[in-house]
Amino acid sequence: MIVVTGGAGFIGSNFVLDWLDAHDESVINIDKLTYAGNAANLASLAGDKRHQLIQGDIGDTALWEKLLAEHRPRAVVNFAAESHVDRSILGPDAFIQTNIVGSFKMLEALRAYWSKLPADQASAFRLLHVSTDEVYGSLSPTDSAFTEEHKYEPNSPYSASKAASDHLVRAYHHTYGLPVLTTNCSNNYGPYHFPEKLIPLMIVNALAGKALPVYGDGMQIRDWLYVKDHCSAIRRVLEAGRVGETYNVGGWNEKPNIDIVKTICQLLDEMRPRSDGLSYATQISYVTDRPGHDRRYAIDARKIEQELGWRPAETFDTGIRKTVEWYLQHPDWVSQIQSGAYRDWVNANYADRAGMDKACA
Ligand code: NAD
Ligand code: DAU
């Protein structure tokens, strides 16, 4: 069996669902169930004996000791993290605790477990650490895309904390021989994406008749990958990645934010037209920029393609259409997410931004 951490979040829950679609190998899912963790993402697995969700913290050594002794996993896939850049700007503490201290505690627990495994199990064991392209910093419009050799230059508390965890993972391989793999992926989108991030926020705000808050000039570029493609890349790296290596994962889909927002508006205009006949694009508001906003990310995904034969299955056009359809088909999931705590976050992040002339909260 395998352990997945953070498997009730956006990417983790997609990964668990896809894994159990493709395998009968059981999953123990450790998730703290923070605001971003949602057991409802895994509702379709109710009663499925191959999956067990344990509410717990990756920094809890006693939990790790018990769980590793009891279940003896052959692999751990680490998704657990604080993941939102804007939250890291307003409150970095949780990012340091989970992404750095939590990762360290997890590594210590795994080292103790792995070092006592019989030789054949020890050499087959894997820790796959899921990381981000943001550790590489920001590109100019003419820079080449990030390769695995790009220097680390994180710019936000979030990306700095992820960079720290990547370095710890690397060091545990180099120093102790722990068999690790690291993936650095670009921006994901798709089902179960928490509506604090650009794409789901724009969909839910548009449908609610609220402002669509575009930071700065909206010309920042991200490289978008449909979440199921990220999950297939992780499965492939876990299966065949070379121990100690890092693999960049991306969709070859660089787009400015404003184009993303306009595409979502066009899809909604087609699938759920506004009753007044106006386009959702009339709800776009340019607002005060994110402090330290990275201008451009782009992933060079040739290594994973050439070594492991992985390529994304979705184009941006197919993936974004599926995503908008998913949100239209899951209004209950959206309304369950929009608790008081969610409204507090929206207020904290947006209320004071110039340009928020239309009510967002
Ligand atoms: P998310 O915020 O949706 O989910 C994170 C999950 O981790 C939640 O379920 C949360 O409850 C859990 N968690 C948080 N702290 C924990 C702790 N201390 N112990 C146990 N569980 C904890 O994040 P996501 O977007 O699904 O990202 C998953 C991983 O992928 C993160 O490591 C992130 O850095 C990385 N990543 C994300 C993207 C993206 O575009 N979303 C891209 C590249 C890499
Ligand atoms: O690149 C991978 C990273 O992508 C992951 O490591 C992070 O966990 C994930 O959150 C994501 O980070 P970004 O900061 O790129 O994603 P976000 O959806 O927050 O923002 C995408 C872009 O849209 C970014 O340039 C900021 C902009 N934006 C975002 C929000 C929430 C807006 O213009 N308005 C908004 O309201």
Side-chain angles (χ1 to χ4, degrees):
M1 52 82 59
I2 65 165
V3 170
V4 166
T5 74
F10 163 47
I11 306 173
S13 60
N14 276 287
F15 180 83
V16 170
L17 294 170
D18 287 2
W19 179 271
L20 292 173
D21 263 351
H23 297 76
D24 270 335
E25 191 175 12
S26 302
V27 176
I28 300 285
N29 186 349
I30 307 176
D31 196 298
K32 191 175 173 182
L33 297 179
T34 67
Y35 78 93
N38 186 352
N41 296 1
L42 301 158
S44 62
L45 296 176
D48 189 328
K49 295 210 167 9
R50 299 172 304 163
H51 175 249
Q52 189 186 346
L53 176 61
I54 298 172
Q55 183 167 12
D57 192 318
I58 56 162
D60 183 342
T61 303
L63 172 65
W64 277 115
E65 282 170 357
K66 180 170 179 297
L67 185 143
L68 293 168
E70 210 171 297
H71 297 285
R72 304 185 65 76
R74 71 164 180 96
V76 173
V77 183
N78 182 38
F79 292 95
E82 290 292 335
S83 69
H84 190 31
V85 173
D86 291 323
R87 286 188 193 252
S88 84
I89 294 167
L90 290 181
D93 189 73
F95 289 74
I96 307 307
Q97 288 310 320
T98 285
N99 301 0
I100 305 180
V101 180
S103 297
F104 162 67
K105 298 279 188 189
M106 176 190 71
L107 283 162
E108 277 292 88
L110 294 181
R111 178 165 77 92
Y113 165 70
W114 168 78
S115 64
K116 294 192 194 79
L117 287 175
D120 56 333
Q121 290 175 33
S123 65
F125 181 79
R126 297 288 182 270
L127 164 64
L128 192 153
H129 175 61
V130 180
S131 192
T132 169
D133 59 0
E134 299 201 12
V135 297
Y136 299 126
S138 185
L139 294 169
S140 78
T142 53
D143 284 339
S144 308
F146 300 128
T147 67
E148 289 77 2
E149 277 70 49
H150 200 282
K151 70 179 169 190
Y152 270 43
E153 227 169 22
N155 288 321
S156 70
Y158 163 68
S159 54
S161 67
K162 289 295 291 186
S165 65
D166 293 9
H167 291 324
L168 284 169
V169 167
R170 180 181 189 280
Y172 272 63
H173 174 64
H174 188 80
T175 303
Y176 304 113
L178 189 70
V180 305
L181 298 155
T182 298
T183 52
N184 292 89
C185 188
S186 61
N187 285 61
N188 286 213
Y189 66 100
Y192 305 112
H193 204 181
F194 193 84
E196 62 186 354
K197 309 281 170 59
L198 179 75
I199 287 180
L201 180 84
M202 294 298 157
I203 298 171
V204 306
N205 274 17
L207 292 170
K210 294 177 180 171
L212 308 181
V214 174
Y215 294 163
D217 64 1
M219 291 306 292
Q220 304 84 3
I221 290 172
R222 298 292 182 267
D223 181 352
W224 294 94
L225 180 69
Y226 191 63
V227 63
K228 305 273 178 199
D229 282 325
H230 189 188
C231 294
S232 73
I234 292 170
R235 289 201 305 275
R236 184 69 189 132
V237 172
L238 186 60
E239 181 180 58
R242 283 185 294 133
V243 167
E245 291 292 316
T246 66
Y247 293 90
N248 283 356
V249 184
W252 305 102
N253 267 314
E254 282 187 63
K255 294 199 184 295
N257 293 338
I258 188 63
D259 287 8
I260 300 287
V261 177
K262 286 181 177 166
T263 299
I264 291 168
C265 291
Q266 281 161 8
L267 286 168
L268 288 173
D269 289 341
E270 172 199 323
M271 294 182 202
R272 181 72 58 84
R274 272 173 47 148
S275 54
D276 60 8
L278 293 175
S279 169
Y280 288 97
T282 58
Q283 292 167 230
I284 292 173
S285 289
Y286 288 90
V287 303
T288 309
D289 208 349
R290 171 185 282 177
H293 199 168
D294 284 338
R295 197 69 186 162
R296 174 177 168 235
Y297 305 139
I299 280 281
D300 182 333
R302 279 179 295 178
K303 179 175 173 182
I304 187 171
E305 180 179 344
Q306 287 166 8
E307 270 191 27
L308 304 179
W310 175 87
R311 273 192 73 82
E314 300 289 344
T315 64
F316 187 73
D317 287 349
T318 59
I320 192 68
R321 181 170 281 277
K322 284 183 184 178
T323 303
V324 172
E325 276 166 358
W326 189 88
Y327 279 87
L328 288 172
Q329 287 160 6
H330 292 83
D332 293 347
W333 184 89
V334 172
S335 55
Q336 179 244 339
I337 291 278
Q338 290 172 316
S339 63
Y342 176 77
R343 288 195 295 277
D344 290 346
W345 160 253
V346 169
N347 200 38
N349 191 44
Y350 295 98
D352 291 338
R353 288 180 194 266
M356 286 302 301
D357 50 336
K358 297 170 194 133
C360 186

